[in-house]
Each structure stands twice: as structure tokens, then as C-alpha cells.
Amino acid sequence: MTLARVALFSCAIAVLTGSQALAQSAPPAAPVTVAKPIVRDVIDSDEFIGRFQAVDEVSVRSRIGGYLQEVHFQDGTMVKQGDLLFVIDQRPYINALNEATASLEVAKSTLTNADAQFQRTQALAGTGSLSASNLDDRRRDLISAQANVRGAQAAVDRASLDMEYTRITAPLSGRIDRRLISVGNLVQADQTVLTSIVALDPIDFYFDVDERRLLSYADEARKNGSALQQGGGGLDVTVTIADPRQQPFKGKLDFAENRVDNESGTIRVRARFPNPNFVLQPGLFGRIQVAGSNSYKAILVPDEAIGADQDQRVVYVVGADGGITPKSVRLGPKLYGYRVIRSGMTGDETIVVNGLMRIRPGVKVAPQLIQLPQEASNEEAPAQAAVQGSDQ
């Protein structure tokens, strides 16, 4: 009996020691931040990449030839329509205008004399003192003198116009480029590009739309009493640029080309944006979002709460006992700074939003509950994006 008691006591000691060892080896609960997902009404947006283009742009050329004499602007400044930009050497054109004016005076003098001769001859022919042929000669001289005056006046007008063209003004308001030719260089009429001007407010954005979305947008435009090619149906759009500090710019669709490209199966669409601060520049790339669905209830979670399990996307649901359960989800677009969950969640779960790196199989967590704002700020998440093509 003594040996049996000793053996039983030894077994009890071993079991107790093993339990204490297991308790000491169990990892501590990992601190993580958890939250309920956002559930709100949203509208999906289709996203396209495009480029900004000036509503109006012009390459400034001279209509007359000559040597450049003056430049009246600073490179890159804003100019108004009618501002003086360049002056071509005016001396040859002043001489031409003076010569044309003198020719006009001679023609007018000849006309006065011809008219007097005609009136005198007409009076004498009425008394029978001169023949009808003499009257016809004086009439011909008068008509010829009148034509010479009109020709001389046209020469004066042309010389005056050339004189006016020596002062090259801005044909539109906008931002001017650098001068492309220096003072003293020869300017070829209608050929030499002196500079360029682009209008900045408003500004256009061009992008290509596939056939499926084209039909959807065209149907929406018809519901608004317009056509996609004629005013774009007034559909609201937003565009984001590479600078994350800039909020999305709001505009409207206002034009679409009248045919689908045979090779790409796309159609080019234009949106117009107000640009009073000249932030948007011609040539910039941007991402435009066009409303692509009706309003619906959506589950939104931060991107930081989404993990990867091989080829699947997962979120980690926290149970009442601190246990972690991964749930496979299907992702949608990014709206209001969050990611839309297409399927895999009901919206009632409590999920890990920060601390995914601390999660290990079999490890319980110490959850710290927070409340997510309805919209994530720019610092917390990128600016609003939208769905492009199929869901992720």
C-alpha cells in the first residue's frame, strides 16, 4: 500500500507540474484594435483614367513677315484677350501705308476731274454742241476713275490691316507659354510660332468608356432629357489627381463622340470642370469617377483590416472569448475612404482593424474597441476611389 500511495502521489505531482508548465508556456493575449464595420447607403462609381486638356488653346503666329522688335509679356504669366504680346518692325508697313494713301489721293483727284469733264460734256451734248461719242468717252473716263479710287482705297485698307498686324495681341485669355523667338529674328508670315496660350478655367477631361458602360450612361442621359453626345446628360462626376492633398474635383459630363472606335470598342467622353484656382493643368493625368449604380446598403471596412490567405481576401472576426476567426470576403470599390465588402459579412461582426501582424493560429487577442467614422479622412485612407471593371 505504501508503494501504491507513493506512485499515485508521484503521478499527481507530475500532472500538476505539467499543467503549470503549459500555463507558463501559453502566449499572452495580443493587443489589437477592433471595430464594427460601417454600414451605409452608397453608390458605386466606375473609374477611368484620362487626361486634362484645355478648352481652348492657340499657337500664336504672325500674319505678316518681318523682324521681331518688341516682346510685351513675361513667360508663363496669365494674359487677357487683346493684351499686346509682340511688335513686328513697323517701318516697312508705315511706308507702304503712306504710299497707298498717296495713291488714293491721286485717284480721288483724277475722279474729281473726270466727274467735272463728264458733267461739262453732258451739258454741251444736251445743246447739240458735242457729239454723243464725246459724252461716251467722258462717261468711260469717269467710271474708270471711280474704279481706280476703289482700288486705291482697297490698297489703303490692306496696308492699314498689315500695319495693325505688326502688333500681335492675345487671341484668348489664359496662361501663356515662353517666347519661342527672340527680338531681332525674322518672323515668317503664318509659319513662325511665337508662343502658345491655353485657357485654364474651365478645363476639360477626356477618357475612354467601354460599350457596356456607354449604354448605361446613355440610358441615364436619356432619362435626364438629353443625349450623351449632346451635353453628356448632365451626369455628375469627380476626378482625383496624383496629389493626395487635393480633394476630388467635381464636374459634369458634357460631350461624347458620335461613334464607337472599331478597334478598341470604346468611345471618347468629355467632362468639364471649373478651375478657378488653376490647380488643374492641361496634360495632367487623373482618375475620374462616374456614378455606376443606384443607392444600396454597403458594408465598409478599412483596407488595413483586410488580410490575405493565399488567393483569398479575409477579415478577422473577434469572438466573445477573444478568439479569432478568419472570414473570406469579396471586395468591391473603395468609397468614403473604406473598402466595400461585396459578400462574406453581415455587418454585425466585430473585426480586427489594426494589429493583424500580431494574429497567430491559436492565439487569443485583447481587443480594444473603437468606433470608425462615417468617412475616413485623407490621412487615414486615400481619397475616394471607385470600381474599375469587375470587383476584386
Side-chain angles (χ1 to χ4, degrees), residues 139-332:
R139 183 181 287 109
R140 183 182 65 249
D141 293 340
L142 176 60
I143 294 174
S144 177
Q146 290 172 340
N148 289 337
V149 169
R150 290 195 296 270
Q153 183 63 58
V156 170
D157 293 342
R158 183 170 59 251
S160 298
L161 192 59
D162 288 344
M163 183 65 186
E164 181 181 338
Y165 287 156
T166 60
R167 296 170 57 85
I168 303 171
T169 59
L172 57 87
S173 299
R175 189 174 299 281
I176 197 167
D177 198 6
R178 63 184 178 89
R179 57 179 179 176
L180 301 178
I181 185 171
S182 300
V183 171
N185 281 289
L186 178 64
V187 176
Q188 299 289 340
D190 300 322
Q191 295 184 17
T192 306
V193 178
L194 303 176
T195 188
S196 62
I197 303 174
V198 293
L200 295 179
D201 185 26
I203 192 169
D204 288 336
F205 186 85
Y206 287 88
F207 60 100
D208 294 329
V209 174
D210 60 79
E211 294 182 20
R212 179 176 64 84
R213 292 181 178 87
L214 164 65
L215 297 175
S216 175
Y217 301 156
D219 181 64
E220 189 66 25
R222 284 191 293 270
K223 291 179 182 178
N224 293 338
S226 181
L228 192 63
Q229 287 78 6
Q230 183 181 354
L235 300 182
D236 294 325
V237 296
T238 59
V239 69
T240 55
I241 57 177
D243 187 353
R245 298 171 298 177
Q246 295 291 341
Q247 293 293 326
F249 298 87
K250 296 180 180 181
K252 290 182 179 293
L253 294 186
D254 77 331
F255 170 76
E257 292 183 346
N258 58 4
R259 67 184 64 189
V260 177
D261 186 86
N262 292 333
E263 296 182 0
S264 64
T266 61
I267 189 171
R268 182 146 295 182
V269 180
R270 183 181 73 195
R272 182 159 292 181
F273 295 86
N275 189 30
N277 298 323
F278 311 133
V279 175
L280 305 175
Q281 299 290 317
L284 280 179
F285 279 102
R287 294 178 179 273
I288 191 168
Q289 292 86 39
V290 185
S293 74
N294 295 322
S295 177
Y296 67 96
K297 289 285 186 183
I299 301 171
L300 309 176
V301 301
D303 272 341
E304 309 88 74
I306 301 171
D309 183 6
Q310 296 182 356
D311 61 343
Q312 294 183 338
R313 294 290 186 268
V314 297
V315 296
Y316 295 93
V317 179
V318 181
D321 60 349
I324 296 294
T325 303
K327 295 190 72 173
S328 177
V329 294
R330 184 167 67 92
L331 306 184

Side-chain angles (χ1 to χ4, degrees), residues 90-107:
Q90 296 180 329
R91 290 171 296 180
Y93 298 97
I94 292 175
N95 292 336
L97 179 58
N98 291 337
E99 182 179 354
T101 302
S103 298
L104 176 61
E105 294 298 327
V106 171

Side-chain angles (χ1 to χ4, degrees), residues 108-147:
K108 287 181 177 179
S109 175
T110 302
L111 174 60
T112 300
N113 181 66
D115 184 59
Q117 291 290 340
F118 174 74
Q119 296 297 334
R120 188 179 300 112
T121 303
Q122 188 177 36
L124 293 174
T127 62
S129 302
L130 289 176
S131 63
S133 61
N134 289 332
L135 180 60
D136 292 340
D137 290 341
R138 299 292 80 79
R139 183 181 287 109
R140 183 182 65 249
D141 293 340
L142 176 60
I143 294 174
S144 177
Q146 290 172 340

